Amino acid sequence: MKYDEEKKKIEFDAHIFHEGNHFRSYSFLGAHINDDGVSFRVWAPNAKGLSVVGDFNNWDQNSHRMEKVNDFWILQIDGIKKGEKYKYVIETWSGEKLVKSDPYALYSELRPNTASIVWDLENYSWNDQEWKANKKSYEPYKNPMNIYEVHLGSWKKPQGRENFQTYRELAEELPKYVSEMGYTHVELMPVAEYPLDDSWGYQGTGYFSATSRHGIPEDFKYLIDELHRYGIGVILDWVPGHFCKDAHGLYRFDGTTTYEYSNPLLGENEQWGTCNFDLSKREIHSFLISNAIFWMKEYHIDGLRVDAVSNMLYLDFCKESSPELKNKDGGNQNLWAIDFMQKLNTEIFKEFPNALMIAEESTSWPNVTKGKKENGLGFNYKWNMGWMNDVLKYMELDPINRKFNHNLITFSIVYAFSENYVLPFSHDEVVHGKKSLIEKFPGYYVDKFASLRLLLGYMMAHPGKKLLFMGGEIGQFLEWRFYESIEWQLLELEKHRELQEFVKNLNFFYRKEKSFWEIDHSYEGFHWLEANNNDCGVVSFMRKSEERDDFIIAVYNFTPVHYSKHKMGVPRFVDYEEVLNSDISKYGGEGRVNLEILKPRWGGVDKELCHIEINIAPLSVIYLKPKF
């Protein structure tokens, strides 16, 4: 009788799943522990037959055969418990037998092993009630957001061990460090289970399974709990566009293109050696949106950075043009992907109104952070890849040539408020021969440190939220290596300690000053003071808060020339005080600062009616505040 009731329930779930509206599909698919044992359910619509194998039946493909209900295969196995390893053996109509991990597994074997493990997520008591209560009134647009991007496997490697820090070990150090450095959020590179370390987590197999490299699911919950206890929001890097082709994963799951597009021009992702999810299938909508909600509900994740959005949006992304790569209107936009993203964001914000949904979208696709009514995709943030590319290209130039490329440092304001942006210096910019941040800059050893302080000071005052990949804050000279720890030993050297101190103080300065983030998405919060001084290489602007008298003037010298009495326009005839200077000695500079109050004088410079004279060190950033 109980089994008949279960089949009826599956019929109901199946209807919603096929409609693309089952946003808790993990609640009925996968392996679920019950009073008698474990219920197994898997979607494999085109399979000829399925069985469950594991240690409990000596991996015998014939002992536990599943029954097909609708497009799902089900089986109750009594007497087995949490911790049992299992897989599905799928018999195809061509006679193949595929041995697959469970797409909905909650836990997986440590690579190179690939079995799923029966688990539940009930055996953990959360302690982040205060965090959750505060989040109800959190408004991301009017609050600081300074993100520390972390690859858990290489943040710190345990001494004398070849494996990784556990989630518990990370929880002892990472939250404290991030908090002490003044960051507001961490962004964790993909933690959903993946087979190959070299993929950094971007080629996944277990979308509902936190990687076993660092421990069990309860331990990952503990890490998030500790981050919340320290007041740190947690953003998860999420990969809904493509998946790896390993035999035990989603690839040709039931012998057919179950999860990927059937047309190889759409399904095969040759640039990454992966397969693209078929976003035209409503079942894939149910799978992926369920997964996004799963991480937020079950693991208390605060937001998702959605990877490779452009790859989903364009039918011909990184491909040769073809008539087959056109939509019904003749364009190259993937209308299925647009529909999926609009639905994804609608459902996320319906259940988690203050979530962060951040698109890594590398083209000029319009309205990424606008709603469906405005033909938008519905995200609330987008990485500003244009700003990142321009500013790094500019900083890599020999200073003598920067005056011929001045627009690279100023053009971003033209479009800075067209979307809600995050300014990213991510892991992608410090690998594959691109060099580490500090090694990108020309000049001598001390010039590189000065340039990095300048770059980070420019990012901090520029409109948009902030993101820095781990290692950048200590001036790591080597490119990031996923198999090695950050070069923490560099902090034994004075220049690296001084840089870290600068980043820490800069982070806390940003958090304290409302003018840097209160009006972050509107021209009302920004005013150019000096934008066109190509020859001099000095740039300055004002950032404003909602209070009329609360503003900061940010001044940048992108040349190695010292200007002891630089004349610059100011917006108000009031005294000004230097509140931050990257050239002070404790940050590794030479102390060319403005100790005295800066008195304004009448007389126009640029479009301002009054001006000050200011001492600006080479390759430095200065912040000024008015004294009323």
Side-chain angles (χ1 to χ4, degrees), residues 37 43 128 139 225 251 275 294 351 354 356 369 393 413 417 419 429 466 538 563 576:
W43 177 56
D128 63 349
E139 295 183 65
D225 222 353
Y251 179 61
C275 277
F294 168 83
E351 184 156 355
N354 300 309
L356 297 169
T369 57
K393 184 177 179 181
I413 298 301
F417 310 107
E419 304 275 8
E429 310 318 314
K466 327 296 174 187
V538 172
Y563 301 110
Y576 292 89

Side-chain angles (χ1 to χ4, degrees), residues 10-244:
I10 285 178
E11 291 283 3
F12 175 75
D13 282 320
H15 178 72
I16 306 172
F17 183 80
H18 292 315
E19 284 185 334
N21 296 321
H22 202 309
F23 307 131
R24 293 288 191 281
S25 59
Y26 59 88
S27 67
F28 82 99
L29 290 170
H32 293 270
I33 301 169
N34 53 45
D35 292 341
D36 299 318
V38 176
S39 172
F40 294 90
R41 304 172 194 145
V42 61
W43 177 56
N46 299 306
K48 183 179 180 181
L50 261 85
S51 59
V52 185
V53 296
D55 287 339
F56 50 86
N57 63 10
N58 294 316
W59 302 88
D60 181 357
Q61 300 180 10
N62 298 309
S63 64
H64 287 91
R65 299 192 67 81
M66 306 181 80
E67 178 183 353
K68 190 174 186 181
V69 178
N70 199 293
D71 282 340
F72 304 92
W73 298 80
I74 67 173
L75 181 67
Q76 168 73 25
I77 303 180
D78 293 341
I80 65 173
K81 299 178 180 179
K82 181 176 178 177
E84 291 277 7
K85 291 181 285 188
Y86 71 100
K87 280 189 175 183
Y88 297 118
V89 177
I90 301 176
E91 184 182 352
T92 73
W93 289 97
S94 64
E96 291 181 280
K97 288 194 174 179
L98 309 175
V99 183
K100 294 286 188 177
S101 301
D102 187 350
Y104 285 87
L106 299 178
Y107 187 41
S108 305
E109 276 192 297
L110 177 63
R111 58 94 180 95
N113 297 322
T114 58
S116 302
I117 300 176
V118 173
W119 211 261
D120 63 49
L121 299 178
E122 309 305 318
N123 190 28
Y124 185 83
S125 297
W126 286 94
N127 297 297
D128 63 349
Q129 291 80 10
E130 182 179 353
W131 172 266
K132 290 181 72 176
N134 291 338
K135 201 165 76 166
K136 289 179 181 178
S137 59
Y138 173 70
E139 295 183 65
Y141 302 124
K142 291 194 173 185
N143 276 283
M145 189 191 304
N146 188 7
I147 305 165
Y148 186 61
E149 187 187 25
V150 178
H151 177 257
L152 294 178
S154 57
W155 185 67
K156 278 191 179 179
K157 284 281 191 182
Q159 288 188 349
R161 280 166 39 191
E162 292 185 4
N163 58 350
F164 306 96
Q165 279 189 301
T166 67
Y167 292 124
R168 293 268 172 176
E169 288 171 335
L170 284 159
E172 293 300 310
E173 294 187 82
L174 182 62
K176 185 172 185 288
Y177 177 77
V178 173
S179 175
E180 288 178 348
M181 285 297 294
Y183 294 100
T184 63
H185 294 72
V186 292
E187 181 179 303
L188 305 180
M189 288 173 67
V191 297
E193 194 60 81
Y194 59 102
L196 183 65
D197 292 357
D198 303 49
S199 80
W200 316 334
Y202 288 98
Q203 297 185 13
T205 51
Y207 271 69
F208 292 83
S209 179
T211 180
S212 55
R213 287 168 173 79
H214 309 286
I216 61 176
E218 289 84 350
D219 292 343
F220 184 48
K221 288 185 176 184
Y222 178 74
L223 171 59
I224 296 164
D225 222 353
E226 283 296 285
L227 285 161
H228 285 167
R229 187 169 74 85
Y230 275 85
I232 305 299
V234 183
I235 301 164
L236 189 67
D237 213 334
W238 188 57
V239 191
H242 63 113
F243 55 88
C244 75

Side-chain angles (χ1 to χ4, degrees), residues 386-387 390 406-416 458 462 523 528:
W387 174 86
D390 282 353
H406 193 72
N407 65 306
L408 290 174
I409 208 70
T410 59
F411 178 70
S412 57
I413 298 301
V414 172
Y415 62 88
Y458 186 68
H462 190 287
Y523 281 108
W528 274 121

